[in-house]
Amino acid sequence: MLISKDFARGSISFGVKYMEDNNFFFDAIPLVRNGDDLKPLAPFNGHDDTLTGPQDGRVQIKTPDGIRKAQFNLFNQTSDLQFTLKGNTEFDDGTTISGGFRYRDSTTDRNARGLNSLNTQAAQLSSVRANAVRAFASRGATDVRLVYNDDGSAYGANANGNGLVGVNTFQSIQNPIKETMGLIELGHVYETGIGRHDVKLGLYGTTADWAHDRNDGVGLTEVAPNARLLDIVAVNAGGQVVGRVTDAGIQRYEARFAHSYGGYEDVAFYISDEWQITPKLRVDGGFRYETIWIHGYSEGVKSFNLGNPDTLADDNVLYGSDVFNRFDPKFSDHSYTIGANWQFMPEAGIFGRYTSTYRLPQIGQYRDNVLPTGIRSQSIEQAEAGVKFQKPWGSLYATLFYNSFKDVQFTNTYIDPASLRIVQEINYGDVSTTGVELEANLKPVPWFDVSATATYQDPKFKNYTYNTIVAGAPVTTSFDGNRPSSMPKVMASIRPRVSLIGGRLRVLGEWRYEGDKFNDDSNLVKLPAFSVFNASAELDVTQNVTVQVKGTNLSNALGLGQGGGQQLVPGAADGAVILARPIFGRAVQGSVLFKF
């Protein structure tokens, strides 16, 4: 809802926005690698299958305080309420003042299951057999078996054509935030002996109350579309169940716990000037200084045994220790930018810009039970320069660019196979890239035009190392010179468009290309390049009714986005198995727009 009023020298508006959103989470699926070729692991269809299924809704996270409210079949749920007030006015001398105020009350619940790794049945059972037999020895336990959670039937040696076990994280996160923001800006345009200046001076501030709660469990599933939950049971010599390693599919409750709360205050001052020196030459610049005060408490963790004698899943539950560690850091940084545009001919010009900016730390970096050290502002340098040509029948832009990101935080999260504890490792490194971008448009006739873009870049890591423990000793690995994961060097697209029947019918096509990229920062797993064809058509049936048909990935390409790492699963596939998220397969949708 928006209410606004215009006056002779300004305006005022008040708006209320409320949103309830529920987003589906598509999990990565396993694919088998053979050189540069990838195919889904049987029985997956790479275009529309996902491991997520109805049984995810059965999963509960048990804690010392009871059962965690986690609805893993509802995925990401967001509730957001905003009140916004804006206004502006102009004085006699041309000075303008504008301001805004916003209050936001938002809660996000993220409940998702993510496949971390695959295991053979033999390896999975071997990892728990000795402990389970010892724990249930008084009941006559002699071995362990894998069964389906819903009906207790045996999990076959070649179930689903692969017989594998999926080790998953069931992640439940709640993030409420109440935020108040305000902005006031003064503007003034004035002439000088050399051109016109448009100067703006602003002050921005925000304050927020924030909380973070996280409870994760490690669970087992089959490796199949809409995967069913698996249990490991202890059996006696007669094959009767005498105990359980898991509980309703969960092998360890509370493998990761976090509870923190607090808030922050953020104040920023900025000034900018757009200087039109001549009708052909414009120079602009700006400066910003910002400070953020972060404060709050993070609860420590200790282990609990929930005391269910029939399962081992609750023997080592991580939960709050009632010991709270305070954090109250302050960070400040500044940024500036300068740019120029020279239209030296009516149809041609050159432009350039340099920006030195930053990304301040956020309260979310203090959300875990172990407070991080060495948190710092991220430095960003960006530069670009290019030429442009414009004619009534077309245009061309060519841009060289350079981006540098220093002190980028990288998080490595994995499941410790021995303790089944979810471990998070934080590292810092630098990323830089240079590249060129071309953008062109051609319109030879009034009813047809085609546009195209192409980008080449060369992103690389620098000063990025992390430590791991191998055979009890620390080992340092360097990623210097590697390409960041999920970043292709080459991207391109071509978009032809036809307009017919006096502009009432519009047909648009698109070819999009994404070059190869790596699935991990170590550059061990390369994902192949892929192309996608899309098309759409719009018809104005009347002035008030428009019909649209849209088709995506019409070639049904198996394009792979981000994902996890690579592992060998002996006897399960004829190559290494990786986890990745394919793009959606061929889809066609229609819509009707009514204007009234």
Side-chain angles (χ1 to χ4, degrees), residues 28-29 485-486 518-520 527 560-565 578-581:
I29 66 170
S485 64
S486 304
F518 288 102
N519 205 32
D520 54 352
L527 302 181
L560 300 179
Q562 65 183 49
I578 69 169
L579 305 177
R581 292 184 180 91

Side-chain angles (χ1 to χ4, degrees), residues 26 29 40 44-49 553 555-559 582-586:
F26 269 92
I29 66 170
F44 287 91
N45 179 327
H47 296 300
D48 45 38
D49 280 344
N553 195 9
S555 57
N556 222 26
L558 185 66
I583 61 175
F584 291 116
R586 183 187 298 114

Side-chain angles (χ1 to χ4, degrees), residues 340-543:
N341 183 82
W342 180 30
Q343 198 74 21
F344 59 86
M345 295 172 59
E347 65 276 4
I350 58 175
F351 58 90
R353 177 170 298 280
Y354 174 79
T355 300
S356 174
T357 186
Y358 60 88
R359 182 178 291 121
L360 288 179
Q362 300 298 308
I363 194 170
Q365 294 173 255
Y366 294 85
R367 64 194 179 195
D368 289 308
N369 55 75
V370 177
L371 293 180
T373 59
I375 296 292
R376 47 196 181 268
S377 178
Q378 182 185 138
S379 301
I380 304 171
E381 277 188 297
Q382 298 174 308
E384 64 175 12
V387 296
K388 55 183 178 178
F389 300 94
Q390 295 171 303
K391 285 285 189 179
W393 46 263
S395 62
L396 174 65
Y397 290 79
T399 306
L400 296 172
F401 62 86
Y402 168 78
N403 296 321
S404 173
F405 301 86
K406 296 182 179 180
D407 293 326
V408 180
Q409 180 174 309
F410 298 96
T411 303
N412 178 31
T413 303
Y414 59 94
I415 297 177
D416 185 328
S419 66
L420 290 180
R421 180 171 180 174
I422 299 173
V423 180
Q424 186 178 63
E425 181 185 57
I426 296 176
N427 302 285
Y428 292 89
D430 304 337
V431 180
S432 64
T433 183
T434 55
V436 59
E437 182 179 48
L438 301 175
E439 182 178 351
N441 178 268
L442 180 64
K443 190 172 185 178
V445 292
W447 50 268
F448 173 78
D449 69 271
V450 58
S451 58
T453 58
T455 301
Y456 174 82
Q457 61 179 346
D458 188 19
K460 292 181 180 179
F461 281 124
K462 187 179 180 181
N463 301 323
Y464 179 15
T465 60
Y466 75 99
N467 296 316
T468 55
I469 303 298
V470 177
V475 176
T476 299
T477 302
S478 174
F479 288 161
D480 286 6
N482 286 10
R483 196 197 317 174
S485 64
S486 304
M487 292 188 67
K489 285 189 173 183
V490 178
M491 295 176 288
S493 68
I494 300 175
R495 301 173 299 280
R497 181 174 57 181
V498 176
S499 181
L500 303 172
I501 319 177
R504 290 175 54 200
L505 175 61
R506 300 169 295 278
V507 180
L508 175 68
E510 181 189 36
W511 170 80
R512 181 168 60 87
Y513 172 83
E514 189 170 297
D516 61 47
K517 54 186 175 291
F518 288 102
N519 205 32
D520 54 352
D521 291 341
S522 58
N523 288 188
L524 296 177
V525 183
K526 183 179 284 188
L527 302 181
F530 65 90
S531 298
V532 173
F533 293 92
N534 305 315
S536 65
E538 286 184 345
L539 175 63
D540 296 331
V541 180
T542 68
Q543 289 185 344

Side-chain angles (χ1 to χ4, degrees), residues 89 106 110 125 177 188 266 275 376 397 405 466 480 546 572:
T89 189
S106 178
R110 187 175 192 268
L125 294 174
I177 185 171
H188 188 71
D266 190 323
W275 182 16
R376 47 196 181 268
Y397 290 79
F405 301 86
Y466 75 99
D480 286 6
T546 299

Side-chain angles (χ1 to χ4, degrees), residues 196-242:
R196 178 178 61 88
H197 290 268
D198 185 351
V199 178
K200 288 182 172 58
L201 184 70
L203 182 66
Y204 164 87
T206 183
T207 180
D209 293 323
W210 166 94
H212 175 84
D213 288 281
R214 178 168 186 162
N215 301 71
D216 290 2
V218 175
L220 305 181
T221 65
E222 62 177 346
V223 181
N226 310 127
R228 295 164 67 187
L229 297 170
L230 297 178
D231 276 323
I232 298 179
V233 296
V235 296
N236 61 19
Q240 297 171 311
V241 176
V242 296

